[in-house]
């Protein structure tokens, strides 16, 4: 069984070319025409999807052959094709960077590729660069190119004229700081921190030539995935999930997976709430707790109630920033104190890459990208495996699992369910 939908993968020569802004502008332009736009982010990123969700008005899912797997991508794309008018994937880094890369996703599913190229210091070489990148693997289908950071309409004309006939010109965005999206040590700012984000994306969308008639990308046919029948391992269980400015790194697919396993989900803010929801288990995902430690430290009522849940042996999963917040202190400021040890944030990267952890009920995929350090005497119960980079430890302290890893639940729903069961 098959279904079809126009689809395009947005890539570039490298990081920093403007993929997220241009992807958001395209999504916004199509959405403004009344089209249902489903955006995906290649790779395990949390921050870019927040921006793209504002542009598209729909939850943005991750596609990553290394962490999520081919079957998961096939399932998500097939569902999107049934429910959308156009599918847009934002790539990660440069087109061929990584193993697997954005190009691997495009080739596996037959999705045409559009390039974003920073042309600020470039003229006719623009065409050679686009032709070289899109022709590097002859199996790649060119969908076009957008020039970013152009200086003038005349500059755009030079760039456009340099393209070979088989690469469509999709437009250009001029140099304009009003489009830029602020960044910090883990990447872009969260979407909610940029108060005029809607206006920035809208302005970028209007700069695309004839945005009201922007052509759709080529139609792609997607195959139906194999049936997935998840056992109701979490039926009648309620899981309370921390979600606010400090705890915001949550894969939408993880929430879907928990619901498919039978769980009811509720959300709370460790920053603002003084009452912890009644639940069978708790999940503190990653985010930016280091930016909010004064509020966390001052929320004595929440600290007491989380401690009480831990004393009652309620299962708790703490990932990355969630683990740091549960330590005795973060950067010298008191945390919730459930985990013996202290955390701090270093200026340099401390962990990066796709990882896998072998538990008793199978291997689960995860990702790590952090500047944090956790100093503790706790015994390591599991250690991840990684193709590159430093393996990450997993700690078990009473009913609490903690690690710098961000787990991808659909990669092994059985293992994910065990985090939330006694």
């Amino acid at each position: 069984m098959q279904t079809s939908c126009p689809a395009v993968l947005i890539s570039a020569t490298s990081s920093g070319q403007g993929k997220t802004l241009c992807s958001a502008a395209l999504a916004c332009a199509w959405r403004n025409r009344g089209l249902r736009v489903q955006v995906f982010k290649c790779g395990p990123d949390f921050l870019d999807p927040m921006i793209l969700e504002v542009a598209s008005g729909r939850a943005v899912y991750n596609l990553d052959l290394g962490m999520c797997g081919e079957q998961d991508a096939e399932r998500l794309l097939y569902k999107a094709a049934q429910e959308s008018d156009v599918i847009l994937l934002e790539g990660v880094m440069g087109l061929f960077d990584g193993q697997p890369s954005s190009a691997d996703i495009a080739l596996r599913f037959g999705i045409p590729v559009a390039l974003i190229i920073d042309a600020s210091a470039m003229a006719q070489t623009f065409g050679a660069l686009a032709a070289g990148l899109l022709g590097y693997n002859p199996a790649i289908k060119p969908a076009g190119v957008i020039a970013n950071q152009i200086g003038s309409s005349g500059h755009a004309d030079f760039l456009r004229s340099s393209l070979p006939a088989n690469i469509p010109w999709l437009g250009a965005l001029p140099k304009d700081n009003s489009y830029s999206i602020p960044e910090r040590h883990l990447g872009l700012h969260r979407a909610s921190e940029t108060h005029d984000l809607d206006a920035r994306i809208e302005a970028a969308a209007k700069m695309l030539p004839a945005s009201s008639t922007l052509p759709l990308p080529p139609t792609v046919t997607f195959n139906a995935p194999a049936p997935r029948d998840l056992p109701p391992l979490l039926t009648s269980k309620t899981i309370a999930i921390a979600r606010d400015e400090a705890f915001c790194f949550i894969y939408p697919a993880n929430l879907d997976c928990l619901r498919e396993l039978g769980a009811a989900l509720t959300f709370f803010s460790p920053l603002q709430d003084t009452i912890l929801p009644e639940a069978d288990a708790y999940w503190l995902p990653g985010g930016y707790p280091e930016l909010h430690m004064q509020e966390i430290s001052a929320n004595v009522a929440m600290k007491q109630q989380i401690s009480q849940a831990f004393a009652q042996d309620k299962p708790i999963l703490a990932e990355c920033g969630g683990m740091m917040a549960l330590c005795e202190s973060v950067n010298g400021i008191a945390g919730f104190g459930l985990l013996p040890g202290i955390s701090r944030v270093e200026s340099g990267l401390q962990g990066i890459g796709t990882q896998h952890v072998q538990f008793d009920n199978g291997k689960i995929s995860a990702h790590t990208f952090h500047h944090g350090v956790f100093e503790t005497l706790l015994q390591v119960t599991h250690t991840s495996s990684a193709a590159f980079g430093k393996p990450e430890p997993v700690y078990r302290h009473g009913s609490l699992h903690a690690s710098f890893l961000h787990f991808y639940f659909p990669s092994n729903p059985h293992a994910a369910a065990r985090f939330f069961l006694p």
Side-chain angles (χ1 to χ4, degrees), residues 238-250:
T238 296
I239 300 173
I241 303 168
R243 186 170 66 179
D244 58 19
E245 296 88 343
F247 306 94
C248 51
F249 292 172
I250 302 173

Side-chain angles (χ1 to χ4, degrees), residues 35-249:
L35 300 176
R36 297 169 299 170
V37 185
Q38 180 60 62
V39 182
F40 292 94
K41 172 63 184 180
C42 300
D45 190 275
F46 290 103
L47 294 166
D48 292 358
M50 296 180 187
I51 307 296
L52 298 169
E53 182 174 339
V54 172
S56 66
R58 304 171 93 180
V60 174
Y61 287 76
N62 299 75
L63 288 181
D64 183 84
L65 298 181
M67 182 183 75
C68 308
E70 188 174 308
Q71 289 183 339
D72 186 69
E74 184 176 58
R75 180 178 58 83
L76 289 170
L77 287 168
Y78 183 80
K79 183 174 185 290
Q82 290 180 309
E83 300 174 349
S84 310
D85 299 308
V86 58
I87 295 171
L88 187 155
L89 293 78
E90 185 201 340
V92 58
M93 299 185 291
L95 180 56
F96 295 98
D97 294 332
Q99 294 180 333
S101 66
S102 299
D104 291 321
I105 293 177
L107 291 167
R108 167 60 184 82
F109 296 103
I111 300 171
V113 175
L115 293 178
I116 310 300
I117 298 178
D118 183 339
S120 56
M122 195 180 299
Q124 287 88 344
T125 301
F126 178 85
L129 182 59
L133 197 59
L134 290 173
Y136 184 75
N137 186 324
I140 286 179
K141 302 173 184 177
V145 60
I146 293 177
N148 194 21
Q149 299 288 314
I150 66 163
S152 65
S153 59
H155 184 198
D157 290 339
F158 272 126
L159 303 173
R160 183 173 188 171
S161 66
S162 72
L163 290 173
N166 69 317
I167 301 179
W169 170 262
L170 299 179
L173 292 178
K175 293 180 182 179
D176 193 330
N177 290 334
S178 66
Y179 299 153
S180 64
I181 302 171
E183 299 186 43
R184 61 163 67 92
H185 59 279
L186 294 183
L188 299 176
H189 280 207
R190 291 181 301 104
S192 60
E193 292 179 276
T194 306
H195 67 89
D196 59 348
L197 181 61
D198 280 302
R200 293 179 186 228
I201 294 173
E202 193 74 46
K206 289 179 180 177
M207 291 307 301
L208 294 173
S211 61
S212 61
T213 57
L214 187 71
L216 291 175
T219 297
V220 178
T221 298
F222 298 97
N223 294 320
R228 186 176 71 153
D229 186 21
L230 297 187
L233 299 175
L234 297 175
T235 296
S236 77
K237 300 294 185 183
T238 296
I239 300 173
I241 303 168
R243 186 170 66 179
D244 58 19
E245 296 88 343
F247 306 94
C248 51
F249 292 172

